[in-house]
Structures are given as structure tokens and as C-alpha cells.
Amino acid sequence: MATRSRKGKKCTVIGGCGFLGRYIVERLLEEGYTVSVFDIAKTFEDDRVKFFVGDLCQEKDLAPAISDVQTVFHCASPPPSSDDRDLFYRVNFVGTKNIISACKKAGVQKLVLTSSASVVYEGTDIKNGTEDLPYAKKPMDYYTETKVLQEKEVLAANSPEENFFTVAIRPHGIFGPRDRQLVPILVDTARAGKTKFMIGNGENLVDFTYVVNVAHGHLLAAEHLHKDSPVCGKAFHITNDEPIPFWTFMSRILEGLNYPSPKMGLPYLLIYYLAAFLQLLCLLLKPIKEIKPTFTPMRVALAGTYHYYSCQRAKQLMGYKPVVPLDEGIKLTVKGYAHLQNNN
Ligand SMILES: NC(=O)C1=CN([C@@H]2O[C@H](COP(=O)(O)OP(=O)(O)OC[C@H]3O[C@@H](n4cnc5c(N)ncnc54)[C@H](O)[C@@H]3O)[C@@H](O)[C@H]2O)C=CC1
Ligand SMILES: CC(C)=CCC[C@@H](C)[C@H]1CC[C@H]2C3=C(CC[C@]12C)[C@@]1(C)CCC(=O)C[C@@H]1CC3
């Protein structure tokens, strides 16, 4: 009993120096957990946290970081903007198999994976999609392709007979202060004068999820992960439960940072096929010059289609509900990015 209670509040966050990972760490500390962080790069200091710097692609690096802990949170991934197929495969697929193997050897009881709602997205409308939707047969990019492989691996590893329980959390469009993808890329796009027009008619509803709600969903999942729990071996959408027109959300952020927001829409299919052509051109020119287009087919699809998800399963099985409403999350985010304000 002593061993179990001693391990009970000890956990490791793999990818804990990242945008979401650090919020999970902060939430765990608030809840009285003993927290270790494993990451390939240490990006912050906190005397309450034990840091392990290593590469999850090397299973031997993992062992010291997960020794004597009950729960591992795995939220490491290469940035979705990367186009390095091999990196995605090594980190998200092979690396995740390393984590499963290392957890089982170390006697870790719970593995909480940060997956993505995008694992069912193929660039066409999804309205109030449930977790029962099939995995994307034709993922739109390498990132999504390896997130599908990763989630399948983790859920299949759920093994009550080995006292090893797994769960996958599927957030979508995570935003908040310290984000490295959404707001910084949006501001760069605005500064390049590329947000004069919106893609599509601006009516498509999308889930954007304030980061504290995602961290909250991860802790709820860990707390409900135990023998005979209906949570084991399942995926859960975690959203703000407030789908919003994509360009309304973007305009709120842009105007909050004093950038002009798009007023006119361009035909979605025209921009999508233009983006696909540009992607092919960049591929052909790669041996001569590396060009990274802002509007990739995936981003155009995300900007021009409906994609919002039901979190009913998380509400029913984990008692999930967002702790920060969307409007408040947007205000906190704008405030957190004052340094990116338009001063012209
Ligand atoms: N940002 C978003 O909108 C969404 C993100 N996700 C998922 O959430 C998770 C966290 O995403 P973010 O916090 O946005 O990413 P991030 O890039 O801020 O954090 C990822 C962390 O993983 C670490 N990492 C990468 N490769 C590693 C390796 N080989 N060994 C050890 N550590 C490594 C990085 O150093 C970084 O600290 C990812 O799994 C991502 O797929 C899911 C849905 C939406
Ligand atoms: C069209 C344009 C240039 C918009 C600027 C914002 C975009 C960079 C974000 C809008 C939706 C975001 C998003 C993700 C990354 C950043 C955006 C494309 C993810 C692909 C990140 C990883 C995931 O798991 C799914 C996310 C979907 C939404």
C-alpha cells in the first residue's frame, strides 16, 4: 500500500517543456503531484520539477525519467509545420513504441497520450464528430499520418492483465499564451500582408481549445484511468465545446493585436488547388531552394472547412467540462501576446 500511495502522485511529462506540456506540468503541481519532465530541450526552470534531458527515440534515455512513477503523460511531437517525414515517423511512431516499452519495464501503471482530433480529418467537413469516426485513410500530411499510428499503438497497449492502462486525449486547435504555432504564425501571416482575404465564406465552424482546458482534460483522464474503468483504452475529444467560425476566431486575435482582419472571402476550392499546386512546385524546387509555403493544403482545408467535435464522451465518462470559456481564453491569449502587437 505504501509503495502504491508513494508512487500514486508521482508522474513524468514527456514533452513537458513544450507549449501544452508546461501547462500540464503547472496543473499537476497545483494538484500536489511530484513532477518530472523529460524533453529533448529544457526551456524553463522550476525548483519543484526534476528535469531529464534526452531523446525519446532512444529508449535508454527514458528509463531514468520514468523510474518509480505511476503516470506518464506523453505530449512530445515534432512541430506540425515540419515537413520531415522521417522525423515524424521516428518521434511519433518509433518513439511512442519506446515509451510504451519503457513504461512496461519500469512498472508505470498509466500512460496518457496527447493525440489529436485531426486523426479522423481528411480535409472534408466534420460536424460534431464523435470518437467513433474512422481514422483518416488518407491523412493530409505526415504529422497526421504519424499521429494516427501513435494513437493506435497506445490504445492497443492498454493491458489490464499487466496493470498497464492507456488513454488518448484528442485536443483540437490549442491556443493560449506561450503557444508556438497558432498566434505566431498568424501574426507572421498578417505582417506579410496575407490576411487581407479569408479562405471560403467565413461560416465554417471550428473547435479552438484554450490550453488550460486541455491540461485539465489530461489530468481528468489520468485520475479516471484504473482497473475496470470505462476510460481505459479509449480516445477522448477535449475541446472548449464552443465551435466558432474559423475566421471569426482569427479576426478576434488579429484585431486584439491591432492587425486588420479579412473582410472578403476567396473561393475555397480555388485556394485549395492553388495551395496544392504550390506545394508540388516547392517539392520540385527543393533541390535548388527550400521554400515553405504559408498556405499548405492542410492549413487551407483547416481554414475553409467545418471541423468541430463532440466531447460528450469525456463529459459522461470523466465529468469533463471546460474550465476557461472561449471568450476569456481569447482575451487571455491577446494579453499574453502584447509583444506581437502591431505598432504601425
Ligand atoms: N498545438 C495544437 O494545436 C495541437 C497539438 N496537439 C498535440 O499536442 C502535443 C503538444 O503539442 P504542442 O505543445 O503544441 O507542441 P510543442 O512543440 O510546443 O511541444 C512538443 C515538445 O516535445 C518535445 N520533443 C519533440 N521531439 C522530442 C524528442 N525526440 N524527445 C523528447 N522530446 C521531444 C519538444 O522539445 C517540445 O518541448 C503534441 O503531441 C501535438 O501533436 C494536438 C492537437 C492540437
Ligand atoms: C490559414 C492561416 C495561415 C492561419 C494561421 C493560423 C494557423 C497557423 C493555425 C490555424 C489552425 C491551426 C491548427 C494547427 C496548427 C496551426 C493552425 C494551422 C494544428 C494542425 C496543430 C496540430 C494539430 O494536431 C491540429 C491543429 C489543427 C488547427
Side-chain angles (χ1 to χ4, degrees), residues 88 94 212 291 313:
F88 280 124
V94 179
V212 168
I291 304 168
R313 178 186 279 184

Side-chain angles (χ1 to χ4, degrees), residues 14-21 38-41 43 54-57 74-80 87 91-92 113-118 143 147 150 169-175 178-182:
I14 297 174
C17 287
F19 165 50
L20 171 62
F38 178 91
D39 204 302
I40 203 165
T43 59
D55 182 350
L56 62 82
C57 296
H74 172 22
C75 56
S77 169
L87 178 67
V91 176
N92 284 352
L113 169 71
T114 311
S115 178
S116 169
S118 289
Y143 165 81
K147 291 299 282 187
Q150 175 184 69
I169 299 297
R170 293 180 180 176
H172 190 278
I174 311 176
F175 72 100
R178 306 197 305 248
D179 148 47
R180 305 171 180 180
Q181 290 158 39
L182 197 158

Side-chain angles (χ1 to χ4, degrees), residues 7 25 74 164 236 279 326:
K7 282 180 73 169
V25 169
H74 172 22
F164 183 58
F236 292 85
Q279 187 176 59
L326 190 70

Side-chain angles (χ1 to χ4, degrees), residues 1 30 36 40 43 61 91 93 95 99 115 140 164 187 199 203 206 225 229 249 252 254 264 273 308 324 330:
M1 197 53 188
E30 284 167 14
S36 295
I40 203 165
T43 59
D61 287 4
V91 176
F93 183 55
I99 290 172
S115 178
M140 292 187 75
F164 183 58
V187 166
I199 297 165
E203 292 171 7
V206 173
L225 201 53
S229 164
F249 178 87
R252 287 280 310 271
L254 288 170
M264 269 183 63
Y273 287 110
Y308 61 96
V324 179
I330 293 172

Side-chain angles (χ1 to χ4, degrees), residues 103-134:
C103 283
K104 288 189 173 181
K105 288 173 185 170
V108 171
Q109 288 174 9
K110 306 180 182 187
L111 175 58
V112 181
L113 169 71
T114 311
S115 178
S116 169
S118 289
V119 295
V120 298
Y121 181 67
E122 294 184 297
T124 54
D125 290 347
I126 294 178
K127 298 181 181 180
N128 206 37
T130 68
E131 292 86 350
D132 298 324
L133 286 174

